[in-house]
Amino acid sequence: MSRSPDYSLLELASVREGDTVGATLANSVAYAQHAEKLGFKRFWLAEHHNMEGISSSATSVLIGHIAGQTRTIRVGSGGVMLPNHPPLVIAEQFGTLESLYPGRIDLGLGRAPGTDPVTARALRRDGLGAEQFPEDVARLQALLAPLQPGQAVKAIPGAGTRVPIWLLGSSLYSAQLAALRGLPYAFAGHFAPRLYREALKVYRDNFQPSEQLQQPYSILALPAVPAETMEEARYLATTSFQRILALFRGQPLWMKPPVESMDGLWNAGEQAGVKDFLALQLLGDAAAIKKQLSERLEGVRVDELMFTVDIYAPEKRRHALDILDDTRQG
C-alpha cells in the first residue's frame, strides 16, 4: 500500500433479539453519527429481504434517513441488488438522494438477490436475473448520465447527477466487470474470505480508465470485533458466531447477547464452518487489530477498508469505532 487506507462501515441494521425495528434504526443513526465524528469516510447499507433480524430491506429509504441525520459522511448502498429492481427505479431513487444530499451518495451494486430463491422470485422482474447484470449496469449508467438528444426514457430526477456507481462482489466475476467498465470495486471479505487477494489483483491488473474513474479504486470489507482486551473481544464475538450459525441453520438472524462459551451451541462441523465464514475477522484491542490488519493486507493493494461490526450492545459497538480509529494512529 502506498498510503494508509480510509475507514468506512457496512451496516445491516441488525435487530437485537426482542428489540423493535424503530429502536434498531435509531441505534444505526447514532452509530453513523459517531463514525462521522471519527472521520470515517462512508456508511453503506446492505439490501437483504425476508431475513428476520435484518432491517435494511428498503435500502434507499434508510440511506436518505441516515444522510439526513449526518452532515459529511458519504452514505450509500453496499449494495442494491440490481436483479431485484428495474434500473429506471434505482436511477430515480438515487438521483433523488443525490439531489437532496449533493456529493454524499454512493450507489453500490450487487448481482445476487440478497435473499432466498422464493423471495427472489417475488421481488424480481419476470424472466430477468443475475445474467442481465452487465446490461442493467450499463442502463443505469446511461440513466444517471447527462440527457442525450432524442433520449426516450429519462430518470427525472437522476439524469445528469452522475451518482458514483460501485460494483460489489465476492468472486472474480465482479472484479473483472468493474475493471472492464472502469468502476470502483468493493470485495465482500466479511462473508467470502477466500478470493480477496485474487479478486483485488484481477481488478487492478485489468482496470480500464473511464469517465467516472481514471485509476483503480478498491474497498475490502472485513468483519471486526474491537474491544478493550482480547478476552472481551472473544466474548463479544460470540454474538457474530451465533448469527452465522443461525444463517447456516436457516433460522432467524436476531442479534443475540454474547455468551461465555459456544460449547453446546454448535457441533464441530458448524464451528469449523462459522470460523471459515469469518476467516478474515479482526479481533481484539487496537494493537492486536493493527497487527492482524498488517497480515491481511500484506501484498494487497486496497484504498479503503469497510468494517462490519456485529456487537450486541449499541454503546459497545460505538466504542468499537474508537478502538478501530486508534489503529490508524502512528
Side-chain angles (χ1 to χ4, degrees), residues 149-218:
Q151 184 173 333
V153 178
K154 306 167 188 174
I156 309 293
T161 57
R162 300 185 192 271
V163 178
I165 289 176
W166 292 70
L167 294 193
L168 283 52
S170 57
S171 69
L172 302 184
Y173 175 88
S174 292
Q176 291 166 334
L177 184 60
L180 180 67
R181 298 286 177 86
L183 295 173
Y185 175 64
F187 185 84
H190 61 297
F191 69 80
R194 288 287 165 250
L195 292 173
Y196 80 102
R197 291 179 180 275
E198 294 91 330
L200 290 167
K201 186 174 190 305
V202 162
Y203 171 67
R204 295 226 169 239
D205 288 351
N206 295 280
F207 182 83
Q208 301 292 318
S210 69
E211 190 176 354
Q212 178 178 333
L213 194 64
Q214 290 300 302
Q215 301 289 335
Y217 192 98
S218 60

Side-chain angles (χ1 to χ4, degrees), residues 56 66 76 131 135 142 205 214:
S56 55
I66 297 289
E131 68 277 1
E135 291 79 8
D205 288 351
Q214 290 300 302

Side-chain angles (χ1 to χ4, degrees), residues 75-96:
V75 189
S77 57
V80 161
M81 300 297 109
L82 197 51
N84 298 337
H85 310 281
L88 177 60
V89 171
I90 298 303
E92 291 169 342
Q93 289 176 355
F94 279 77
T96 301

Side-chain angles (χ1 to χ4, degrees), residues 14-255:
S14 301
V15 185
R16 299 196 306 166
E17 195 169 36
D19 238 347
T20 65
V21 170
T24 298
L25 299 182
N27 287 329
S28 291
V29 168
Y31 186 54
Q33 290 170 335
H34 194 62
E36 180 174 77
K37 285 178 188 173
L38 294 171
F40 281 56
K41 188 167 187 176
R42 297 174 215 278
F43 190 90
W44 281 4
L45 294 125
E47 176 186 345
H48 291 282
H49 299 278
N50 196 28
M51 291 186 180
E52 292 178 278
I54 294 180
S55 59
S56 55
S57 55
T59 315
S60 59
V61 176
L62 285 188
I63 290 169
H65 182 60
I66 297 289
Q69 299 292 317
T70 52
R71 295 184 301 107
T72 57
I73 196 167
R74 295 191 68 91
V75 189
S77 57
V80 161
M81 300 297 109
L82 197 51
N84 298 337
H85 310 281
L88 177 60
V89 171
I90 298 303
E92 291 169 342
Q93 289 176 355
F94 279 77
T96 301
L97 288 167
E98 176 64 23
S99 300
L100 289 168
Y101 309 105
R104 292 184 56 208
I105 302 299
D106 294 323
L107 175 49
L109 302 173
R111 68 186 183 107
T115 188
D116 58 90
V118 173
T119 308
R121 286 194 292 273
L123 286 163
R124 187 169 295 153
R125 298 159 285 157
D126 288 344
L128 298 179
E131 68 277 1
Q132 191 75 20
F133 184 69
E135 291 79 8
D136 281 349
V137 171
R139 290 188 186 97
L140 195 44
Q141 287 181 288
L143 287 164
L144 292 171
L147 290 174
Q148 299 300 308
Q151 184 173 333
V153 178
K154 306 167 188 174
I156 309 293
T161 57
R162 300 185 192 271
V163 178
I165 289 176
W166 292 70
L167 294 193
L168 283 52
S170 57
S171 69
L172 302 184
Y173 175 88
S174 292
Q176 291 166 334
L177 184 60
L180 180 67
R181 298 286 177 86
L183 295 173
Y185 175 64
F187 185 84
H190 61 297
F191 69 80
R194 288 287 165 250
L195 292 173
Y196 80 102
R197 291 179 180 275
E198 294 91 330
L200 290 167
K201 186 174 190 305
V202 162
Y203 171 67
R204 295 226 169 239
D205 288 351
N206 295 280
F207 182 83
Q208 301 292 318
S210 69
E211 190 176 354
Q212 178 178 333
L213 194 64
Q214 290 300 302
Q215 301 289 335
Y217 192 98
S218 60
I219 287 177
L220 174 61
L222 296 169
V225 185
E228 288 295 333
T229 66
M230 180 61 77
E231 183 181 24
E232 184 189 20
R234 290 194 180 107
Y235 171 67
L236 296 177
T238 60
T239 290
S240 56
F241 295 166
Q242 291 176 82
R243 293 195 72 206
I244 304 308
L245 182 61
L247 178 68
F248 288 174
R249 292 175 173 176
Q251 296 171 344
L253 301 179
W254 307 115
M255 184 179 279

